[in-house]
C-alpha cells in the first residue's frame, strides 16, 4: 500500500514507527497549502490538519481516497465545512497529537457511511485496531489527558505538591507512562492548551476552565521541564 503523510516531523516519526516497514510511505515534513498530492496513493495522512486545513481543496479532489486528518482541536465537521465545492475523497478524523499516534488503539471520527466503509478497508490493511468516537473537540483520550494536566496544574498552583512529586505519584500510583507535566512536554504546551480551549468553548462548562499556571506556561511557550 502506498501512503502519503504530511505534518510536523515529530508526528511523522511516530506515524512511521506505527506503520512499520510493511507499506511504502512518503513523508512530507510540512502542512497546509504547500502540500501537493496525487491520486497515486492509497491513503493520505495529514497529521496537523486542525492547525492548518488549507490543503483541503487538494485532498477533496482525490477520488475515493481515504484522507486521515487530525481532528482533535477542531472537529472533522468544522474542518470540512470550510470547503464549498464537491468532496470526492473520504475524510476520516484521527487523534494525531504527539504520543497518541503510535498506540494500540486508534481513535477515529466519521461523518458518512462511505467514509466508514473506506476506513474499515484501510484499517484492515494497516492492521490497526480502532474505536469510532464522536466527532467532538478533544475526542476521548486527548480530552482525558488534557484535563489531567490541567488538574495537575491546579494542584501545583495551590502548592499541594511539587511538580516532580505529582508526576511520580501518577506514574507509580496509576501506572501512567508519564506524569502529567512530562506528558504535557511530550505533547507540547500549545496542543494541550488549544485542546482544552476547544473543549471549553464547545461545552461552555466551567469544569474545563484552564488553570492560570497552564495559561502562563502557554504564553511563555516553555516546557515544564528544561530538556
Amino acid at each position: 500500500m502506498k501512503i502519503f503523510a504530511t505534518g510536523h516531523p515529530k508526528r511523522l516519526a511516530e506515524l512511521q514507527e506505527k506503520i512499520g516497514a510493511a507499506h511504502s510511505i512518503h513523508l512530507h515534513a510540512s502542512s497546509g497549502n504547500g502540500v501537493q498530492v496525487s491520486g497515486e496513493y492509497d491513503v493520505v495522512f495529514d497529521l496537523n490538519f486542525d492547525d492548518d486545513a488549507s490543503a483541503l481543496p487538494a485532498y477533496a479532489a482525490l477520488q475515493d481516497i481515504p484522507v486521515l486528518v487530525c481532528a482533535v482541536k477542531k472537529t472533522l465537521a468544522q474542518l470540512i465545512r470550510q470547503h464549498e465545492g464537491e468532496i470526492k475523497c473520504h475524510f476520516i478524523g484521527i487523534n494525531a497529537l504527539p504520543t497518541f499516534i503510535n498506540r494500540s488503539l486508534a481513535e477515529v471520527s466519521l461523518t458518512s457511511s462511505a467514509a466508514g466503509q473506506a476506513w474499515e478497508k484501510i484499517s484492515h490493511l494497516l492492521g490497526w485496531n480502532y474505536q469510532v468516537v464522536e466527532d467532538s473537540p478533544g475526542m476521548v483520550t486527548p480530552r482525558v489527558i488534557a484535563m489531567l494536566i490541567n488538574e495537575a496544574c491546579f494542584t501545583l498552583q495551590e502548592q499541594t505538591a511539587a511538580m516532580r512529586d505529582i508526576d511520580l505519584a501518577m506514574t507509580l500510583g496509576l501506572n501512567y507512562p508519564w506524569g502529567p507535566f512530562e506528558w504535557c512536554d511530550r505533547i507540547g504546551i500549545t496542543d494541550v492548551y488549544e485542546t482544552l480551549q476547544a473543549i471549553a468553548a464547545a461545552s461552555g462548562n466551567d469544569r474545563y476552565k484552564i488553570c492560570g499556571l497552564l495559561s502562563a506556561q502557554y504564553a511563555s511557550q516553555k516546557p515544564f521541564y528544561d530538556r
Side-chain angles (χ1 to χ4, degrees):
M1 188 164 62
K2 292 186 69 175
I3 299 169
F4 178 92
T6 184
H8 294 165
K10 184 178 179 180
R11 300 192 194 198
L12 288 174
E14 193 176 344
L15 176 66
Q16 189 168 31
E17 185 178 354
K18 182 172 178 62
I19 291 174
H23 303 283
S24 172
I25 179 169
H26 174 78
L27 303 177
H28 183 77
S30 68
S31 59
N33 57 16
V35 174
Q36 295 181 350
V37 57
S38 68
E40 67 180 291
Y41 295 97
D42 299 299
V43 61
V44 172
F45 285 85
D46 190 323
L47 306 180
N48 288 91
F49 196 68
D50 54 4
D51 287 319
D52 185 352
S54 56
L56 194 155
Y59 300 146
L62 299 174
Q63 184 74 47
D64 294 329
I65 294 178
V67 179
L68 281 64
V69 300
C70 187
V72 176
K73 294 184 284 185
K74 293 179 183 176
T75 67
L76 185 58
Q78 284 176 310
L79 292 163
I80 63 178
R81 231 180 2 243
Q82 299 177 33
H83 187 65
E84 297 179 353
E86 183 182 3
I87 294 178
K88 298 179 180 179
C89 71
H90 299 298
F91 275 114
I92 298 161
I94 60 170
N95 172 10
L97 295 187
T99 76
F100 297 115
I101 300 170
N102 188 17
R103 298 173 62 234
S104 59
L105 189 71
E107 291 176 50
V108 302
S109 59
L110 306 165
T111 58
S112 71
S113 58
Q117 292 169 3
W119 168 246
E120 280 198 30
K121 294 177 183 178
I122 290 297
S123 64
H124 178 72
L125 291 171
L126 289 170
W128 286 13
N129 294 319
Y130 69 92
Q131 178 67 51
V132 176
V133 301
E134 185 179 350
D135 184 33
S136 61
M139 289 188 154
V140 176
T141 312
R143 175 186 290 247
V144 171
I145 299 306
M147 285 297 296
L148 176 70
I149 291 167
N150 197 42
E151 286 300 319
C153 286
F154 277 118
T155 302
L156 180 60
Q157 182 175 274
E158 294 163 5
Q159 299 183 336
T160 304
M163 185 170 66
R164 292 186 185 277
D165 291 338
I166 295 169
D167 271 359
L168 188 63
M170 297 303 292
T171 53
L172 296 182
L174 296 177
N175 202 30
Y176 280 21
W178 309 287
F181 295 104
E182 183 181 358
W183 208 334
C184 184
D185 286 352
R186 287 175 179 270
I187 296 169
I189 185 65
T190 296
D191 286 327
V192 171
Y193 181 88
E194 291 179 357
T195 296
L196 284 166
Q197 193 176 47
I199 296 167
S203 68
N205 194 320
D206 285 345
R207 67 181 293 201
Y208 298 113
K209 179 182 178 181
I210 300 176
C211 176
L213 176 62
L214 187 62
S215 295
Q217 206 72 20
Y218 171 73
S220 72
Q221 285 294 296
K222 293 181 180 179
F224 282 101
Y225 291 107
D226 292 328
R227 297 184 181 276

